[in-house]
Amino acid sequence: MVGSCVAALLATAAGTAYAVDNLPPNQPLVQDLQSGGKPCATGDDTPYVSAPPRLSAVLYDPEEDNQPSESSPISGEFEAWWTDAAGVKQQRTYTTVTLSSGSRLYWTMPNDIPANTVVSWHVRANDGKATSPWSDEGDGSVCSFVYDDVSPEKAAITSPEYPNPEDVFWVDGVGVYGHFTMDSPSDDVVSYTYGFLGGPYGTVSAARPGAPVTIPYLPLSAGPKSLTVRAIDRSGRSSGESRYDFNVQAGRAPVARWKLDDPADSGSAAAESGTAARAGTGVTFGGPAPTGTTATATVGLDGSDHAFLTPDAPATDIRKTFAVSAWVRPAETDRNMTVLSQDADGAPGFDLGLRHQDSGPAWSFTIGGAQVSGGAPETGEWAHLLGLYDAETGKARLYVNGHEAGTAADATPADAAGAFQIGRALGAAGYGDQWHGDIGDVQVHDRVVVPDEVAELAYRKPKLLGHWSLENATDGVSPEQSDGAPLRLGAGASIYRGSDSSCIPDIDPDCTYVPPPLVGDGHLLLDGESGYAVADGPVVDTGDSFTLGVVVRLADSEPAHPMTVLSQAGEHTDAFKVRYEPSTHTWQLVMPEKDEAGAPEKVVSQIVVADGGEGQGHRLAVVYDDATDTIKLYVDGYTNAQATASLPNGWHSTGALQIGRARSGDGWGEYLHGDVDEVQAYSGALRDRDVLGLGHGTDPCLC
């Protein structure tokens, strides 16, 4: 008794009291046990494994028996058992290495473990002095697994919409969903991995082991396609690859289309497909068409009760997938107006048009209680609208000028077998929300119009306004390629032509190498003090979409001040300027929001090291897209997020296009020291792929 008290006192004097008697390790917990990385389970939840598994357990020794400097060593004792084909119980045991408390300890099962047999196991901890209870004692549970040594059979693939080319070679088509069923003969398949050529890729689970699986696929482009599939069984084993080839043709034509380009004295609109549409007396044919499109004329609607066109029949079944689209130009934006709708019971089954909201006007597509809104309608400005209902996904979507607007919404369409309407919508009191403005090229599709098709429908081909190659000048005037307005060279500007003959100093030591021009036979050379070139007036309408391209090389490696390569001024400030900012080593596009001195500016930029008079320079491009209210700066054909910004309201400038300088107070400044070539100007916004063609001496194909 005295000895025990002394021992306790000595332990307390050292700072901590410790129990002298050893405590047995803790019983292993079921949640800390795994069979081949899968959680411990048994019965119907028994996991299947594809190889003799590595069993594992996290084992603990009570902290009370820890002594200073001790690591609580612990090992695991595993037992596994099963009944063989003869009905005889078999058993294996294994003791692990010794590790510290809290470690995961492992036993890799021997290769003689039978396949397709339930193997059960448990484990206990041993600290060298005592053992814990087995993991299945008391509230614990035995663990089980089944070793599956056979891979599943390949899956068969079928599709009613897209049969194999041996049956039907070309099948309709882009924007039409196909459904592909994958079915392996093996009854233990629980999932399938799949991949379509070009995507999508994924894994889909079976409703129950062995059940077939069907997935939808929406072709986004025409041409040969393929689907590859592997069946995965419950052990994780994979079958061989199955491949299914099919050919998708182009998307089918609209089920109804009214180009609305009928003669001015027409009383109805002819249908390219579908039924001709009679016109109310508030409709005027022969109106202007949006430039750069295939449309040649439109109709004007005066917003009265008589402003409508209708075929007096439905155009499509809106309970199924459909899309409706049109070119529109509102004459006002301060009230609700409908472009397209289809009658239902006292209400429109869908409504595509303009909605006046507290935040301002917005384009809108409404169907089945869902409304998608976006974009910013402007009086007198053309826009292309497309409303889409995808019955496969149940989603309604709105596209404005080729880009998705708003957020797709879940919709459940009602039966709307009434007449299709252009320019009005049915309400409880009759027709209302009549359109005031212009409408052109109405189309109705009975399929998904995919994003590339939407962009093509909304595409407005830019028009070349001028291309100055700057290869020569006569009396200080450099011509435009198509005999348009020339550029006039100011003091400090000249045309550099390079050498007329080849010169290789290594071969002819008496010749002096003269570097070639940037592009073609010449370029504009600016002295950085007074050099510039100027057009006779504004070249691009900065209040509408425009594109400018230029090739430029800076003469200095460390410019002392900002230098402008392109600008066009308004009355009080530049509408835009493209300049090099040496403090940040960037090319910048600067566009003030208003024609006011000191107005807030939108600035986008890309980092580029100054040339120092060497190399082939950089191809810069400015794109303002009024339809999407964005500005972009491209360098060598590419842009990025830092070089893109929103500019909701561009304004019209009246000043001349300047090459090599910008406004500075009441005069000019930011003169560029370097070389300039291939100035190109377009009305309209070039697409990314078209911008790549700028600056190479020819005009890109805007196909």
Side-chain angles (χ1 to χ4, degrees):
M1 182 69 176
V2 173
S4 298
C5 291
V6 171
L9 289 172
L10 289 174
T12 303
T16 305
Y18 295 95
V20 174
D21 295 332
N22 177 69
L23 295 178
N26 296 342
Q27 180 182 7
L29 300 176
V30 172
Q31 60 262 37
D32 291 334
L33 311 183
Q34 293 182 349
S35 301
K38 298 181 179 182
C40 172
T42 192
D44 292 340
D45 298 323
T46 296
Y48 283 69
V49 294
S50 59
R54 185 166 69 158
L55 312 182
S56 71
V58 180
L59 305 180
Y60 295 93
D61 202 24
E63 295 182 0
E64 297 91 274
D65 69 336
N66 292 353
Q67 297 295 325
S69 302
E70 289 185 350
S71 60
S72 301
I74 197 168
S75 62
E77 297 178 356
F78 287 87
E79 286 185 353
W81 61 93
W82 65 92
T83 301
D84 64 17
V88 178
K89 181 179 179 180
Q90 303 293 325
Q91 183 171 327
R92 300 285 187 277
T93 61
Y94 179 78
T95 300
T96 71
V97 297
T98 299
L99 297 176
S100 59
S101 174
S103 299
R104 183 170 288 276
L105 293 104
Y106 299 92
W107 175 26
T108 299
M109 297 295 292
N111 290 329
D112 63 353
I113 293 297
N116 304 311
T117 300
V118 176
V119 178
S120 300
W121 64 275
H122 60 192
V123 64
R124 66 183 179 185
N126 187 330
D127 66 0
K129 298 179 181 178
T131 58
S132 73
W134 288 102
S135 56
D136 55 345
E137 291 185 45
D139 293 332
S141 172
V142 70
C143 302
S144 301
F145 67 86
V146 175
Y147 164 42
D148 182 357
D149 65 345
V150 177
S151 296
E153 295 185 53
K154 289 183 178 181
I157 307 173
T158 57
S159 172
E161 298 89 355
Y162 291 97
N164 191 280
E166 295 178 359
D167 301 320
V168 181
F169 194 76
W170 288 102
V171 184
D172 187 29
V174 171
V176 176
Y177 278 97
H179 298 83
F180 294 81
T181 298
M182 302 166 282
D183 189 7
S184 167
S186 300
D187 60 6
D188 61 346
V189 169
V190 295
S191 64
Y192 295 87
T193 62
Y194 66 89
F196 289 92
L197 179 66
Y201 310 92
T203 300
V204 60
S205 297
R208 63 184 185 281
V213 170
T214 300
I215 58 172
Y217 169 68
L218 180 66
L220 302 180
S221 61
K225 308 291 181 182
S226 65
L227 167 64
T228 56
V229 171
R230 290 182 183 272
I232 309 298
D233 68 16
R234 53 194 166 189
S235 73
R237 284 183 171 272
S238 171
S239 72
E241 182 178 271
S242 302
R243 179 184 173 108
Y244 186 86
D245 295 308
F246 57 103
N247 296 318
V248 177
Q249 62 187 9
R252 59 179 177 247
V255 293
R257 183 180 185 183
W258 298 271
K259 289 187 175 181
L260 303 179
D261 57 358
D262 307 84
D265 58 353
S266 298
S268 64
E272 183 178 85
S273 55
T275 305
R278 64 181 176 89
T281 57
V283 177
T284 302
F285 288 87
T291 59
T293 71
T294 58
T296 57
T298 60
V299 296
L301 284 72
D302 64 10
S304 70
D305 290 347
H306 305 288
F308 68 89
L309 298 99
T310 178
D312 293 312
T316 189
D317 184 349
I318 71 167
R319 294 168 300 179
K320 300 177 181 179
T321 296
F322 75 95
V324 290
S325 64
W327 281 102
V328 299
R329 182 169 66 168
E332 57 180 305
T333 59
D334 58 356
R335 67 178 180 88
N336 295 343
M337 297 194 297
T338 293
V339 177
L340 305 173
S341 70
Q342 187 160 297
D343 298 347
D345 185 12
F350 75 85
D351 188 312
L352 176 67
L354 184 155
R355 289 293 174 265
H356 187 73
Q357 303 173 338
D358 293 340
S359 57
W363 300 114
S364 173
F365 179 53
T366 303
I367 180 171
Q371 179 172 311
V372 186
S373 298
E378 295 183 33
T379 300
E381 182 175 293
W382 285 106
H384 186 269
L385 305 183
L386 185 143
L388 168 68
Y389 171 65
D390 185 339
E392 185 78 28
T393 63
K395 295 288 187 181
R397 299 181 184 274
L398 171 67
Y399 293 84
V400 178
N401 293 315
H403 301 271
E404 188 166 5
T407 302
D410 294 321
T412 305
D415 187 8
F420 185 78
Q421 305 291 336
I422 301 174
R424 65 181 183 179
L426 182 64
Y431 291 106
D433 294 342
Q434 282 81 3
W435 180 260
H436 185 197
D438 303 307
I439 300 178
D441 196 12
V442 172
Q443 299 189 32
V444 182
H445 287 83
D446 63 347
R447 62 177 178 84
V448 174
V449 179
V450 301
D452 283 352
E453 293 176 313
V454 178
E456 192 62 32
L457 287 173
Y459 180 54
R460 299 181 67 177
K461 184 177 180 179
K463 178 183 178 182
L464 180 65
L465 301 175
H467 183 172
W468 297 271
S469 293
L470 297 166
E471 295 186 345
N472 53 71
T474 302
D475 297 328
V477 176
S478 186
E480 195 273 333
Q481 278 194 356
S482 302
D483 298 324
L487 293 177
R488 304 185 185 279
L489 277 56
S494 60
I495 298 296
Y496 174 83
R497 293 281 299 176
S499 175
D500 292 333
S501 61
S502 61
C503 171
I504 305 176
D506 290 343
I507 297 177
D508 183 2
D510 294 330
C511 76
T512 301
Y513 175 74
V514 178
L518 286 178
V519 182
D521 296 330
H523 65 237
L524 179 66
L525 180 64
L526 301 174
D527 65 0
E529 297 178 1
S530 60
Y532 69 95
V534 61
D536 290 337
V539 171
V540 295
D541 180 357
T542 55
D544 203 349
S545 300
F546 71 88
T547 301
L548 283 164
V550 65
V551 180
V552 59
R553 177 174 61 196
L554 300 177
D556 307 306
S557 57
E558 296 183 6
H561 58 81
M563 295 187 293
T564 293
V565 62
L566 296 174
S567 69
Q568 186 169 296
E571 184 177 351
H572 303 288
T573 185
D574 288 312
F576 72 85
K577 61 182 175 181
V578 181
R579 69 179 182 186
Y580 190 77
E581 176 51 68
S583 65
T584 55
H585 308 287
T586 57
W587 279 105
Q588 296 180 337
L589 166 59
V590 182
M591 294 188 71
E593 297 178 7
K594 299 178 181 179
D595 188 8
E596 298 175 358
E601 297 175 331
K602 292 289 186 179
V603 181
V604 296
S605 61
Q606 289 204 54
I607 297 175
V608 179
V609 177
D611 304 279
E614 299 180 351
Q616 294 302 307
H618 294 283
R619 294 178 293 115
L620 308 183
V622 175
V623 176
Y624 171 52
D625 189 346
D626 190 35
T628 58
D629 294 328
T630 56
I631 58 171
K632 295 182 180 181
L633 174 65
Y634 294 77
V635 177
D636 297 324
Y638 297 95
T639 187
N640 55 42
Q642 289 69 41
T644 303
S646 171
L647 185 68
N649 297 301
W651 48 273
H652 302 277
S653 60
T654 56
L657 177 68
Q658 305 284 334
I659 316 297
R661 66 179 184 177
R663 291 187 63 141
S664 178
D666 294 331
W668 299 98
E670 296 190 2
Y671 284 94
L672 185 134
H673 184 204
D675 308 316
V676 178
D677 209 347
E678 291 299 314
V679 178
Q680 293 165 273
Y682 292 82
S683 63
L686 263 66
R687 297 169 292 189
D688 287 352
R689 67 174 185 259
D690 298 327
V691 171
L692 284 168
L694 293 175
H696 295 292
T698 59
D699 298 316
C701 175
L702 308 181
C703 303

